């Protein structure tokens, strides 16, 4: 699973607890027992990979709850209080060196650290696990071209955050920061997310769902391959794969109710893109992200609650 520090990706935990936190998303593989926990949500997803298309993994962010944000702020304030004397001392030393150089008629070439502040404090939170990729190595059913995944996760509001290469080091290689979709997964609920499509944006994709927003050439790479991606929801009442029969016997499987998500900031991705439009859900007008259901500009990734 992906372990990644994102702009608001965090888990409510003390430093002592951080070592014991487990991944929030767990793929259920073929042959594993399937149970419906009342404190978990379940996601069904197909990942489309036709011949000649590289393997990509969808990356999801669970939006932090208010209590989790409170825990994050408290931990950051505590860490800043401990670090502030040292930061202030470093700034004083740099200012003294600058004054000495200028007093001697020399040019000061060093850097002056900013005035220490809680807002600008570079804080690495130990409990970060609510950004996760659906791991390509652990499908419920490996298929050609579609592999089927069943994922157990903490409930909450989710954003289709980006995409990762399903090879090499895990990471948020492309963030869909310029427009994407989100959904809510409730406790004890099983949601069908439909199908995830991804391909390199440099070349014109043979995947019909991606053809209109690919073929941009080498200038689109940032610095690795730019990834184009989208989802296609399932139609209500559609047939479910036979592999889900044990799950269907325990709970109803509902189509996810996707909503459009507007632009947001993430400093950690290798590159940024927008999700290819999703009919009936997500569209664009120039630089605006449009919620098709309302006809209005969509709000950003975080203020669902």
């Amino acid at each position: 699973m992906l372990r990644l520090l994102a702009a608001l990706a965090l888990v409510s935990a003390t430093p002592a607890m951080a070592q014991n936190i487990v991944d929030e998303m767990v793929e259920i593989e073929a042959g594993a027992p399937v149970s419906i926990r009342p404190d978990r949500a379940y996601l069904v997803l197909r990942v489309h990979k036709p011949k000649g298309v590289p393997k990509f993994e969808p990356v999801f962010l669970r939006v932090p709850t208010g209590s989790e944000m409170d825990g994050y702020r408290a931990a950051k304030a505590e860490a800043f209080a401990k670090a502030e004397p040292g930061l202030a001392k470093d700034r004083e030393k740099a200012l003294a060196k600058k004054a000495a150089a200028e007093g001697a008629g020399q040019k000061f070439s060093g850097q002056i650290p900013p005035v220490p502040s809680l807002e600008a404090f570079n804080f690495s939170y130990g409990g970060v696990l609510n950004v996760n990729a659906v791991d390509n190595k652990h499908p419920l059913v490996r298929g050609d071209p579609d592999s089927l995944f069943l994922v157990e996760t903490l409930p909450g509001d989710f954003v289709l955050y980006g995409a990762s290469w399903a090879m090499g080091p895990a990471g948020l290689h492309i963030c869909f920061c310029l427009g994407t979709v989100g959904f809510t997964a409730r406790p004890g609920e099983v949601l069908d997310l439909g199908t995830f499509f991804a391909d390199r944006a440099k070349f014109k994709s043979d995947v019909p769902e991606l053809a209109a927003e690919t073929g941009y050439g080498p200038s689109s790479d940032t610095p690795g391959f730019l990834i184009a991606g989208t989802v296609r929801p399932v139609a209500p009442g559609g047939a479910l794969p036979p592999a889900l029969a044990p799950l269907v016997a325990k709970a109803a499987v509902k189509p996810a109710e996707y909503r459009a998500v507007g632009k947001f900031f993430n400093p950690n991705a290798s590159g940024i893109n927008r999700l290819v439009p999703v009919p009936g859900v997500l569209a664009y007008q120039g630089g605006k992200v449009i919620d098709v259901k309302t006809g209005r500009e969509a709000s950003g990734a975080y203020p669902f609650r």
Side-chain angles (χ1 to χ4, degrees):
M1 300 293 274
L2 181 66
R3 297 170 181 258
L4 173 71
L5 177 64
L8 282 178
L10 45 96
V11 166
S12 180
T14 65
M17 292 169 56
Q19 301 299 322
N20 300 319
I21 293 176
V22 297
D23 291 317
E24 289 195 359
M25 282 189 167
V26 178
E27 296 89 355
I28 299 172
E29 299 186 63
V34 178
S35 61
I36 302 298
R37 291 177 51 176
D39 62 340
R40 293 292 187 271
Y42 296 82
L43 309 177
V44 174
L45 177 67
R46 300 149 196 82
V47 175
H48 185 71
K49 187 210 164 301
K51 185 177 180 180
V53 173
K55 295 178 181 179
F56 297 103
E57 296 172 341
V59 178
F60 293 93
L61 174 139
R62 181 182 60 79
V63 178
T65 64
S67 61
E68 288 172 337
M69 288 301 301
D70 289 343
Y72 168 80
R73 294 187 187 102
K76 182 177 180 180
E78 181 181 355
F80 175 69
K82 293 179 180 178
E84 185 178 15
L87 296 172
K89 185 176 292 186
D90 291 342
R91 176 176 166 81
E92 291 170 1
K93 288 181 179 178
L95 287 171
K97 289 181 179 179
K98 180 176 184 293
E102 292 176 347
Q106 299 174 355
K107 184 178 180 181
F108 178 71
S109 59
Q111 293 186 340
I112 305 297
V115 176
S117 69
L118 180 62
E119 292 73 21
F121 179 51
N122 187 9
F123 176 58
S124 182
Y125 191 40
V128 180
L129 280 178
N130 66 320
V131 174
N132 290 273
V134 175
D135 194 330
N136 181 72
K137 297 190 292 294
H138 303 294
L140 182 67
V141 178
R142 190 174 299 282
D144 183 13
D146 292 349
S147 290
L148 179 69
F149 293 83
L150 175 60
V151 178
E152 180 183 87
T153 183
L154 288 181
D157 293 317
F158 288 82
V159 174
L160 178 49
Y161 211 46
S164 173
W165 285 89
M167 61 188 76
L172 181 62
H173 294 120
I174 293 297
C175 172
F176 296 138
C177 301
L178 302 181
T180 186
V181 294
F183 59 91
T184 299
R186 297 174 178 85
E189 189 173 63
V190 184
L191 290 184
D192 192 333
L193 303 184
T195 303
F196 175 73
F197 301 86
D199 201 352
R200 292 165 295 185
K202 178 189 295 187
F203 309 109
K204 191 72 170 179
S205 179
D206 292 330
V207 178
E209 291 80 1
L210 303 174
E213 297 208 14
T214 52
Y216 296 136
S219 62
S220 65
D221 291 342
T222 58
F225 288 119
L226 183 67
I227 303 171
T230 195
V231 289
R232 289 295 179 267
V234 294
L240 291 167
L244 293 177
L247 182 67
V248 173
K250 300 174 187 289
V253 181
K254 299 167 49 179
E257 294 184 9
Y258 282 114
R259 54 179 165 258
V261 174
K263 297 176 182 178
F264 57 94
F265 173 68
N266 181 289
N268 301 294
S270 299
I272 63 172
N273 201 355
R274 68 184 195 182
L275 198 71
V276 173
V278 180
V281 179
L282 173 72
Y284 303 96
Q285 291 179 359
K288 294 182 179 180
V289 182
I290 302 300
D291 180 341
V292 175
K293 296 177 182 179
T294 65
R296 296 192 294 267
E297 189 170 1
S299 60
Y302 305 113
F304 289 150
R305 296 185 179 183

